[in-house]
Protein backbone atom coordinates (compact mmCIF):
# COMPACT_ATOMS: atom_id res chain seq x y z
CA UNK A 1 0.00 0.00 0.00
CA UNK A 2 1.36 3.41 -0.96
CA UNK A 3 1.26 6.00 1.79
CA UNK A 4 1.83 8.75 -0.78
CA UNK A 5 2.01 8.85 -4.53
CA UNK A 6 2.25 11.50 -7.20
CA UNK A 7 2.48 11.23 -10.95
CA UNK A 8 3.56 14.14 -13.14
CA UNK A 9 2.03 16.43 -10.54
CA UNK A 10 1.99 20.18 -11.24
CA UNK A 11 0.29 22.82 -9.11
CA UNK A 12 -0.31 26.43 -10.08
CA UNK A 13 -1.88 29.12 -7.90
CA UNK A 14 -4.45 31.52 -9.41
CA UNK A 15 -1.81 34.30 -9.50
CA UNK A 16 0.17 32.22 -11.99
CA UNK A 17 2.86 30.86 -9.62
CA UNK A 18 3.91 27.32 -10.44
CA UNK A 19 4.47 25.96 -6.94
CA UNK A 20 5.20 22.40 -8.14
CA UNK A 21 5.93 20.75 -11.48
CA UNK A 22 6.97 17.31 -12.76
CA UNK A 23 6.62 15.62 -9.37
CA UNK A 24 6.54 11.82 -9.55
CA UNK A 25 7.23 9.53 -6.60
CA UNK A 26 5.74 6.92 -4.29
CA UNK A 27 6.37 6.03 -0.65
CA UNK A 28 5.10 2.84 0.96
CA UNK A 29 3.14 2.77 4.21
CA UNK A 30 3.95 2.75 7.04
CA UNK A 31 6.63 5.42 6.95
CA UNK A 32 8.00 8.36 8.90
CA UNK A 33 8.56 10.77 6.01
CA UNK A 34 10.23 14.18 6.14
CA UNK A 35 9.55 16.81 3.48
CA UNK A 36 12.44 19.27 3.26
CA UNK A 37 13.44 22.20 1.05
CA UNK A 38 13.95 25.96 1.30
CA UNK A 39 11.19 28.57 1.74
CA UNK A 40 8.80 28.62 -1.19
CA UNK A 41 9.91 25.19 -2.47
CA UNK A 42 6.36 23.82 -2.44
CA UNK A 43 6.36 21.75 0.78
CA UNK A 44 3.06 23.08 2.13
CA UNK A 45 1.58 23.02 -1.36
CA UNK A 46 2.44 19.32 -1.70
CA UNK A 47 0.70 18.51 1.59
CA UNK A 48 -2.37 20.54 0.68
CA UNK A 49 -2.52 18.88 -2.74
CA UNK A 50 -2.24 15.40 -1.24
CA UNK A 51 -5.16 16.26 1.07
CA UNK A 52 -7.27 17.50 -1.83
CA UNK A 53 -7.34 21.10 -0.52
CA UNK A 54 -5.83 22.32 -3.82
CA UNK A 55 -6.46 20.76 -7.23
CA UNK A 56 -3.43 20.16 -9.42
CA UNK A 57 -3.12 21.78 -12.82
CA UNK A 58 -1.72 18.52 -14.19
CA UNK A 59 -1.12 14.94 -13.09
CA UNK A 60 -2.50 13.40 -9.93
CA UNK A 61 -1.67 12.46 -6.37
CA UNK A 62 -2.98 10.02 -3.83
CA UNK A 63 -2.82 8.99 -0.20
CA UNK A 64 -3.34 5.45 1.12
CA UNK A 65 -4.64 4.39 -2.28
CA UNK A 66 -7.23 7.16 -2.55
CA UNK A 67 -7.15 9.86 -5.22
CA UNK A 68 -6.58 13.33 -3.74
CA UNK A 69 -9.23 14.98 -5.92
CA UNK A 70 -11.93 12.36 -6.41
CA UNK A 71 -11.73 10.77 -2.96
CA UNK A 72 -10.73 13.67 -0.73
CA UNK A 73 -13.48 13.01 1.81
CA UNK A 74 -12.03 9.52 2.38
CA UNK A 75 -8.56 11.04 2.75
CA UNK A 76 -9.78 13.59 5.31
CA UNK A 77 -11.00 10.73 7.50
CA UNK A 78 -7.60 9.03 7.45
CA UNK A 79 -5.40 12.05 8.11
CA UNK A 80 -4.84 14.13 11.23
CA UNK A 81 -3.48 17.36 9.78
CA UNK A 82 -1.62 20.13 11.60
CA UNK A 83 -1.29 23.05 9.14
CA UNK A 84 1.72 25.39 9.14
CA UNK A 85 -0.17 28.39 10.45
CA UNK A 86 -3.06 27.44 12.66
CA UNK A 87 -5.88 29.92 12.20
CA UNK A 88 -7.22 29.82 15.76
CA UNK A 89 -8.39 33.36 16.47
CA UNK A 90 -6.90 34.95 19.59
CA UNK A 91 -10.27 36.39 20.62
CA UNK A 92 -11.91 32.98 20.98
CA UNK A 93 -11.34 31.90 24.60
CA UNK A 94 -10.30 28.29 24.01
CA UNK A 95 -8.17 26.51 26.58
CA UNK A 96 -5.32 24.20 25.63
CA UNK A 97 -7.51 21.25 26.64
CA UNK A 98 -10.31 22.44 24.30
CA UNK A 99 -7.89 22.57 21.38
CA UNK A 100 -6.75 18.99 22.04
CA UNK A 101 -10.35 17.80 22.41
CA UNK A 102 -11.04 19.26 18.95
CA UNK A 103 -8.82 16.48 17.60
CA UNK A 104 -11.40 13.99 18.86
CA UNK A 105 -14.61 15.91 18.31
CA UNK A 106 -14.30 17.52 14.89
CA UNK A 107 -14.61 14.24 13.02
CA UNK A 108 -17.70 13.21 15.02
CA UNK A 109 -21.24 13.95 13.91
CA UNK A 110 -23.01 16.71 15.88
CA UNK A 111 -23.78 17.12 18.76
CA UNK A 112 -20.08 17.01 19.49
CA UNK A 113 -20.01 16.26 23.20
CA UNK A 114 -16.81 14.96 24.78
CA UNK A 115 -17.12 11.53 26.40
CA UNK A 116 -14.93 10.52 29.33
CA UNK A 117 -12.83 8.49 26.85
CA UNK A 118 -12.32 11.63 24.76
CA UNK A 119 -11.21 13.53 27.86
CA UNK A 120 -8.86 10.75 28.98
CA UNK A 121 -7.21 10.56 25.55
CA UNK A 122 -6.85 14.35 25.40
CA UNK A 123 -5.27 14.44 28.87
CA UNK A 124 -2.91 11.60 27.94
CA UNK A 125 -1.84 13.47 24.78
CA UNK A 126 -1.21 16.67 26.79
CA UNK A 127 0.87 14.63 29.21
CA UNK A 128 2.97 13.19 26.38
CA UNK A 129 3.96 16.67 25.20
CA UNK A 130 4.49 17.84 28.79
CA UNK A 131 1.64 20.35 28.72
CA UNK A 132 -0.66 18.87 31.36
CA UNK A 133 0.11 21.66 33.84
CA UNK A 134 -1.08 24.27 31.33
CA UNK A 135 -4.21 22.45 30.16
CA UNK A 136 -6.54 25.20 31.45
CA UNK A 137 -4.44 28.07 30.09
CA UNK A 138 -5.98 30.05 27.23
CA UNK A 139 -4.44 28.84 23.96
CA UNK A 140 -3.84 32.40 22.76
CA UNK A 141 -1.74 33.09 25.88
CA UNK A 142 0.69 30.24 25.25
CA UNK A 143 4.14 30.78 23.76
CA UNK A 144 4.82 29.71 20.16
CA UNK A 145 6.56 26.51 21.27
CA UNK A 146 3.82 25.66 23.77
CA UNK A 147 1.19 26.18 21.07
CA UNK A 148 3.06 23.77 18.79
CA UNK A 149 3.11 21.16 21.54
CA UNK A 150 -0.65 21.54 22.07
CA UNK A 151 -1.26 21.16 18.32
CA UNK A 152 0.87 17.99 18.28
CA UNK A 153 -1.20 16.72 21.24
CA UNK A 154 -4.37 17.44 19.25
CA UNK A 155 -3.04 15.23 16.44
CA UNK A 156 -1.99 12.49 18.88
CA UNK A 157 -5.42 12.47 20.54
CA UNK A 158 -7.20 11.98 17.21
CA UNK A 159 -7.76 8.88 15.14
CA UNK A 160 -6.63 7.77 11.70
CA UNK A 161 -3.58 6.02 10.26
CA UNK A 162 -1.73 9.15 9.03
CA UNK A 163 -0.39 12.19 10.89
CA UNK A 164 0.56 15.12 8.66
CA UNK A 165 2.37 18.01 10.32
CA UNK A 166 3.55 21.13 8.50
CA UNK A 167 6.60 22.49 10.39
CA UNK A 168 5.65 21.40 13.91
CA UNK A 169 9.16 22.37 15.05
CA UNK A 170 8.94 25.98 13.83
CA UNK A 171 9.54 28.46 16.63
CA UNK A 172 10.43 25.79 19.19
CA UNK A 173 13.59 25.59 21.28
CA UNK A 174 15.88 22.54 21.36
CA UNK A 175 14.04 21.04 24.35
CA UNK A 176 10.61 21.29 22.70
CA UNK A 177 12.03 19.98 19.41
CA UNK A 178 13.49 16.91 21.09
CA UNK A 179 10.25 16.32 22.98
CA UNK A 180 8.04 16.61 19.88
CA UNK A 181 10.33 14.44 17.76
CA UNK A 182 10.62 11.76 20.42
CA UNK A 183 6.86 11.66 21.00
CA UNK A 184 6.16 11.39 17.25
CA UNK A 185 8.92 8.82 16.70
CA UNK A 186 7.66 6.63 19.53
CA UNK A 187 4.09 7.01 18.36
CA UNK A 188 5.10 5.87 14.87
CA UNK A 189 7.02 2.88 16.21
CA UNK A 190 4.37 1.74 18.68
CA UNK A 191 1.26 2.27 16.55
CA UNK A 192 0.65 1.41 12.92
CA UNK A 193 0.63 5.10 12.04
CA UNK A 194 2.53 6.91 9.30
CA UNK A 195 3.93 10.38 9.89
CA UNK A 196 4.55 13.01 7.24
CA UNK A 197 6.36 16.02 8.57
CA UNK A 198 7.64 19.20 6.93
CA UNK A 199 10.83 20.49 8.49
CA UNK A 200 13.67 22.88 7.77
CA UNK A 201 16.17 20.86 9.74
CA UNK A 202 16.75 17.15 9.28
CA UNK A 203 19.04 17.07 12.31
CA UNK A 204 16.49 16.67 15.12
CA UNK A 205 14.55 13.94 13.32
CA UNK A 206 17.21 11.92 11.48
CA UNK A 207 17.08 8.96 13.87
CA UNK A 208 13.37 8.39 13.26
CA UNK A 209 12.91 9.39 9.64
CA UNK A 210 12.75 6.60 7.06
CA UNK A 211 11.99 8.51 3.86
CA UNK A 212 12.93 12.03 2.80
CA UNK A 213 11.47 14.11 -0.02
CA UNK A 214 13.73 17.00 -1.04
CA UNK A 215 11.82 19.67 -2.94
CA UNK A 216 12.62 22.77 -4.90
CA UNK A 217 9.34 23.24 -6.74
CA UNK A 218 10.01 19.82 -8.20
CA UNK A 219 11.32 16.61 -6.67
CA UNK A 220 15.09 16.99 -6.38
CA UNK A 221 15.75 13.98 -4.16
CA UNK A 222 14.02 11.03 -2.56
CA UNK A 223 15.43 8.30 -0.33
CA UNK A 224 16.73 7.67 3.16
CA UNK A 225 18.23 10.63 5.06
CA UNK A 226 21.64 9.26 4.05
CA UNK A 227 20.71 9.15 0.33
CA UNK A 228 19.55 12.75 0.42
CA UNK A 229 22.77 13.91 2.11
CA UNK A 230 24.34 14.14 -1.32
CA UNK A 231 26.40 17.25 -1.87
CA UNK A 232 25.45 17.78 -5.52
CA UNK A 233 21.78 17.39 -4.70
CA UNK A 234 22.00 19.76 -1.72
CA UNK A 235 23.87 22.37 -3.77
CA UNK A 236 21.13 22.29 -6.37
CA UNK A 237 18.60 23.14 -3.69
CA UNK A 238 20.46 25.30 -1.17
CA UNK A 239 23.08 26.88 -3.43
CA UNK A 240 26.87 26.50 -3.79
CA UNK A 241 27.56 27.20 -0.10
CA UNK A 242 26.00 23.89 1.01
CA UNK A 243 28.57 21.59 2.64
CA UNK A 244 28.71 18.11 4.11
CA UNK A 245 31.12 17.73 7.00
CA UNK A 246 32.10 14.46 8.67
CA UNK A 247 32.90 14.67 12.36
CA UNK A 248 33.13 11.95 15.01
CA UNK A 249 31.41 9.39 12.79
CA UNK A 250 28.47 11.66 11.94
CA UNK A 251 27.66 13.41 8.70
CA UNK A 252 26.56 17.00 9.02
CA UNK A 253 24.93 18.98 6.28
CA UNK A 254 25.53 22.70 6.51
CA UNK A 255 23.17 24.95 4.57
CA UNK A 256 22.54 28.64 4.88
CA UNK A 257 18.84 27.88 4.99
CA UNK A 258 18.69 25.40 7.81
CA UNK A 259 21.83 25.75 9.85
CA UNK A 260 23.20 22.25 9.94
CA UNK A 261 21.67 18.84 9.59
CA UNK A 262 23.27 15.75 11.02
CA UNK A 263 23.00 12.21 9.87
CA UNK A 264 24.78 9.16 11.29
N1 LIG B 1 -2.13 30.94 -1.66
C1 LIG B 1 -1.14 31.17 -2.54
N2 LIG B 1 -1.33 31.95 -3.61
C2 LIG B 1 -0.35 32.18 -4.50
N3 LIG B 1 0.89 31.66 -4.40
C3 LIG B 1 1.14 30.86 -3.35
C4 LIG B 1 0.16 30.59 -2.35
N4 LIG B 1 0.70 29.79 -1.41
C5 LIG B 1 1.97 29.58 -1.81
N5 LIG B 1 2.24 30.23 -2.96
C6 LIG B 1 3.52 30.21 -3.70
O1 LIG B 1 3.80 28.87 -4.08
C7 LIG B 1 5.18 28.56 -3.87
C8 LIG B 1 5.30 27.40 -2.88
O2 LIG B 1 4.79 27.82 -1.61
P1 LIG B 1 4.70 26.86 -0.36
O3 LIG B 1 3.95 27.58 0.70
O4 LIG B 1 4.18 25.54 -0.79
O5 LIG B 1 6.24 26.71 0.03
P2 LIG B 1 6.91 26.07 1.33
O6 LIG B 1 7.99 25.16 0.84
O7 LIG B 1 5.87 25.49 2.21
O8 LIG B 1 7.59 27.35 2.00
P3 LIG B 1 7.88 27.70 3.56
O9 LIG B 1 9.13 26.99 3.94
O10 LIG B 1 8.08 29.18 3.55
O11 LIG B 1 6.68 27.27 4.37
C9 LIG B 1 5.83 29.86 -3.39
O12 LIG B 1 6.38 30.51 -4.49
C10 LIG B 1 4.66 30.66 -2.84
O13 LIG B 1 4.90 32.04 -2.96
MG1 LIG C 1 5.30 25.87 4.12
Amino acid sequence: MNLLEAEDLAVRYPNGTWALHNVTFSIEAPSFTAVIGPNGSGKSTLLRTLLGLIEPARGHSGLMGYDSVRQKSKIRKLVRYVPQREGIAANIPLKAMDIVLMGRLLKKAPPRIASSKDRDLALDALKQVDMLDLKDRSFSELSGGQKQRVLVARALAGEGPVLMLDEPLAGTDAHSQDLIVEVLGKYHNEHDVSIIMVTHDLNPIHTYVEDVLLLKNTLVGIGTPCDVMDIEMLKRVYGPSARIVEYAGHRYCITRDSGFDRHD
Side-chain angles (χ1 to χ4, degrees):
M1 163 76 75
N2 278 338
L3 167 63
L4 305 174
E5 60 196 61
E7 203 185 310
D8 192 28
L9 187 71
V11 182
R12 189 172 72 158
Y13 284 102
N15 66 2
T17 306
W18 284 93
L20 291 171
H21 59 87
N22 300 96
V23 177
T24 299
F25 70 89
S26 65
I27 290 174
E28 266 193 41
S31 166
F32 192 147
T33 296
V35 182
I36 64 170
N39 289 142
S41 57
K43 305 180 296 296
S44 299
T45 301
L46 179 64
L47 262 48
R48 291 201 291 262
T49 307
L50 287 162
L51 288 172
L53 299 171
I54 316 174
E55 289 203 10
R58 205 173 57 228
H60 65 87
S61 67
L63 189 147
M64 297 296 270
Y66 294 110
D67 183 87
S68 301
V69 174
R70 285 182 287 110
Q71 295 166 303
K72 58 183 161 200
S73 57
K74 295 234 191 251
I75 290 178
R76 299 278 166 78
K77 290 194 182 119
L78 302 180
V79 181
R80 317 176 214 172
Y81 174 48
V82 180
Q84 185 168 8
R85 277 170 275 278
E86 185 61 54
I88 296 169
N91 56 353
I92 303 176
L94 286 170
K95 295 175 182 172
M97 176 70 173
D98 300 327
I99 300 287
V100 179
L101 272 173
M102 277 163 64
R104 298 217 44 86
L105 301 185
L106 284 181
K107 286 183 183 171
K108 282 190 182 180
R112 299 187 172 108
I113 298 166
S115 64
S116 59
K117 183 185 167 200
D118 292 329
R119 296 197 153 271
D120 289 348
L121 287 166
L123 290 171
D124 182 57
L126 279 162
K127 190 171 163 212
Q128 287 184 59
V129 299
D130 199 17
M131 284 294 292
L132 205 48
D133 291 350
L134 295 180
K135 70 179 171 53
D136 294 320
R137 181 78 64 86
S138 163
F139 183 76
S140 61
E141 289 167 12
L142 297 175
S143 75
Q146 290 168 339
K147 280 184 183 151
Q148 292 288 20
R149 274 146 65 181
V150 170
L151 294 173
V152 170
R154 185 183 69 182
L156 291 173
E159 276 166 30
V162 182
L163 260 78
M164 199 183 257
L165 308 109
D166 196 341
E167 301 213 27
L169 306 181
T172 56
D173 63 14
H175 168 72
S176 290
Q177 285 193 3
D178 290 348
L179 186 80
I180 291 172
V181 169
E182 203 175 304
V183 167
L184 292 175
K186 269 203 194 132
Y187 194 78
H188 169 62
N189 290 339
E190 288 168 11
H191 300 77
D192 192 20
V193 169
S194 290
I195 297 184
I196 303 146
M197 173 170 162
V198 174
T199 178
H200 269 102
D201 189 355
L202 212 46
N203 178 35
I205 58 171
H206 77 283
T207 49
Y208 290 106
V209 165
E210 293 150 352
D211 297 287
V212 181
L213 290 169
L214 175 63
L215 295 183
K216 191 169 183 186
N217 304 110
T218 187
L219 186 67
V220 179
I222 181 169
T224 63
C226 200
D227 295 334
V228 174
M229 286 276 171
D230 173 83
I231 189 63
E232 290 312 315
M233 204 136 66
L234 292 170
K235 279 187 174 168
R236 246 187 290 158
V237 173
Y238 293 102
S241 61
R243 297 270 181 281
I244 289 176
V245 177
E246 305 230 1
Y247 178 71
H250 297 300
R251 281 170 90 187
Y252 295 83
C253 165
I254 301 171
T255 63
R256 275 195 310 179
D257 182 71
S258 62
F260 65 89
D261 295 338
R262 189 186 86 181
H263 181 57
D264 294 299

